[in-house]
Amino acid sequence: MCLGFNPISGTSQRVEREPPVQDLTIAVVGATGAVGAEFLRIVETRYSNLPKLKLLASSRSAGKTITVGEQDLIVEEATEKSFDDVDVVFISASSAVSQQMAPAAVAAGAVVIDDGSAFRMDETVPLVVPEINGADVEWHQGIISIPNCSTTPLVMAAFPLHHVNPIKRIVADTYQSVSGAGGGEMAALREQSERLLDADSNTSKSEKGQIAYNVVPQIDRFLDTGYTFEEQKMRQESQKILHAPEIQISATCVRVPVYISHAASVHIEFTRPMVVEEARELLAAMPGMTVLDNPDGGEYPMPWDAAGEDDVFVGRIRQDISHPNGLVMWLVSDNLRKGAALNSLQIAEELVSRGRLKPKYTSGGTS
């Protein structure tokens, strides 16, 4: 099903279709990681017939068996020669791996959808959230990037509002789960939580890298501005996706002891006042957004509830009492799904539906 948002009428158009992604051969670089595993889980449930999958990872993981549907697939070592028979390559690995593997995949005739930061701000590479700027896939030159997992829910909420009432400024404070740093950090949270359960915080200081029972106001390296690279990414990526470099954006990104789902407290300043009811209606009409906003009934988005869900959830929508043109809201989304794996598959679907991605080979031979 493809959903399109009309910012003029505030309605969505729904066109029933199942893009033939199952006809493609898809390589997954980083198949054994947290995002790669989520990608495979989504593929299992999203398509009635599974596409042909080629699972790739580092030499440490080569030889492992992963079951997808009823298929037992052997993980191969990712090399620059892995992509000759592949239509689309999903990469969720380090920037160094992306920079090495993506050009090789493009040279082999594949389209690359990259989950890392290596190409996001490259002017020749589209940075895409299909519900917002799906048309940008038209000008790709072999590589398409997806945004950082903290950027995606922010732009999903900003997009329908910005088209009706131009946004001037956004201040976002994020509460990001450990899965955003990979499976290793998830294991670390579990180990630390058990080991430090009875520790006395009055007599001991936090350990280096401690996330259990802690909150860490740093994600990625610090820059000369005092912001972290994660915070800079949110600003630059949001402006690029929204085609709105004029929007001023400031973020503070914080790691919290939650396994899955990122949350954000977002303050938006508009060109003119916007009432809560209008914002709620626009957000409810936005494909991929779910409004959960009944504070009196204890109904608002929380990480536990968003985990495993495809939508971005928004609640606690209210007037900003510090600014007449401001609104405040609370966002939560599964960072492994819409923040990464699902968005990548939706880009592939967008490419297929626009005729920009076709299988190299069909049952009858070369396509």
Side-chain angles (χ1 to χ4, degrees):
M1 178 185 297
C2 178
L3 302 176
F5 180 77
N6 184 335
I8 306 295
S9 65
T11 61
S12 58
Q13 294 92 37
R14 296 171 181 260
V15 181
E16 296 292 336
R17 66 171 179 242
E18 183 178 354
V21 170
Q22 63 265 23
D23 295 337
L24 301 174
T25 298
I26 302 175
V28 183
V29 178
T32 58
V35 173
E38 195 65 32
F39 183 95
L40 297 176
R41 280 191 286 269
I42 295 172
V43 166
E44 280 186 309
T45 57
R46 192 169 180 86
Y47 307 116
S48 55
N49 297 308
L50 293 182
K52 183 178 179 181
L53 296 168
K54 186 172 187 177
L55 307 189
L56 303 170
S58 68
S59 58
R60 297 189 307 274
S61 298
K64 291 183 177 179
T65 300
I66 296 178
T67 301
V68 184
E70 297 180 353
Q71 303 176 25
D72 292 329
L73 304 177
I74 305 299
V75 178
E76 303 174 34
E77 180 180 359
T79 73
E80 295 176 13
K81 298 180 180 180
S82 296
F83 310 110
D84 289 343
D85 57 347
V86 169
D87 300 308
V88 60
V89 181
F90 169 63
I91 303 178
S92 182
S94 68
S95 292
V97 170
S98 294
Q99 290 165 346
Q100 176 188 3
M101 296 297 170
V106 173
V111 176
V112 172
I113 301 173
D114 186 59
D115 180 36
S117 61
F119 307 106
R120 287 176 184 153
M121 299 314 299
D122 188 321
E123 292 182 355
T124 67
V125 175
L127 180 64
V128 175
V129 176
E131 296 93 335
I132 298 172
N133 63 331
D136 283 357
V137 304
E138 294 282 359
W139 53 269
H140 83 84
Q141 298 178 28
I143 300 173
I144 300 172
S145 282
I146 72 169
N148 190 50
C149 47
S150 59
T151 300
T152 300
L154 179 64
V155 294
M156 287 282 289
F159 174 69
L161 306 178
H162 178 63
H163 273 276
V164 172
N165 189 346
I167 293 172
K168 298 178 68 175
R169 182 170 182 254
I170 297 174
V171 177
D173 302 313
T174 70
Y175 305 76
Q176 297 180 218
S177 67
V178 295
S179 57
E185 290 303 307
M186 298 175 73
L189 173 57
R190 185 175 295 107
E191 183 276 327
Q192 292 174 13
S193 297
E194 294 173 353
R195 178 167 49 82
L196 298 173
L197 179 61
D198 297 320
D200 186 351
S201 61
N202 293 317
T203 59
S204 61
K205 293 184 178 181
S206 60
E207 302 174 354
K208 182 176 177 59
Q210 180 184 329
I211 185 60
Y213 313 109
N214 214 7
V215 170
V216 182
Q218 177 187 357
I219 300 177
D220 217 313
R221 66 185 187 275
F222 280 104
L223 308 174
D224 291 342
T225 58
Y227 286 85
T228 64
F229 187 46
E230 184 88 352
E231 293 157 357
Q232 176 177 283
K233 286 187 287 187
M234 284 192 69
R235 174 175 59 83
Q236 293 178 332
E237 293 173 15
S238 297
Q239 291 169 335
K240 182 174 180 178
I241 294 163
L242 294 169
H243 299 173
E246 73 280 2
I247 298 177
Q248 299 301 305
I249 301 172
S250 177
T252 299
C253 295
V254 179
R255 188 74 72 196
V256 297
V258 171
Y259 287 110
I260 296 174
S261 298
H262 290 355
S265 173
V266 179
H267 296 243
I268 302 178
E269 177 188 341
F270 297 93
T271 301
R272 58 186 182 275
M274 175 178 280
V275 298
V276 168
E277 290 73 16
E278 180 184 12
R280 191 179 285 119
E281 290 176 2
L282 290 167
L283 291 165
M286 175 67 183
M289 293 288 298
T290 293
V291 175
L292 183 61
D293 192 22
N294 179 23
D296 291 341
E299 296 178 344
Y300 31 70
M302 291 184 287
W304 183 279
D305 301 321
E309 299 291 336
D310 289 343
D311 279 7
V312 174
F313 292 81
V314 57
R316 296 211 58 203
I317 306 167
R318 58 200 189 275
Q319 300 291 156
D320 187 340
I321 61 173
S322 71
H323 198 288
N325 294 355
L327 288 178
V328 186
M329 61 193 66
W330 173 251
L331 305 174
V332 182
S333 69
D334 185 324
N335 54 292
L336 299 179
R337 293 182 75 87
K338 185 55 183 171
L342 175 64
N343 200 63
S344 297
L345 276 169
Q346 289 174 318
I347 290 172
E349 293 172 354
E350 189 77 25
L351 286 163
V352 169
S353 69
R354 291 174 176 271
R356 298 283 282 137
L357 178 59
K358 298 179 180 180
K360 292 179 183 176
Y361 305 104
T362 63
S363 57
T366 304
S367 63

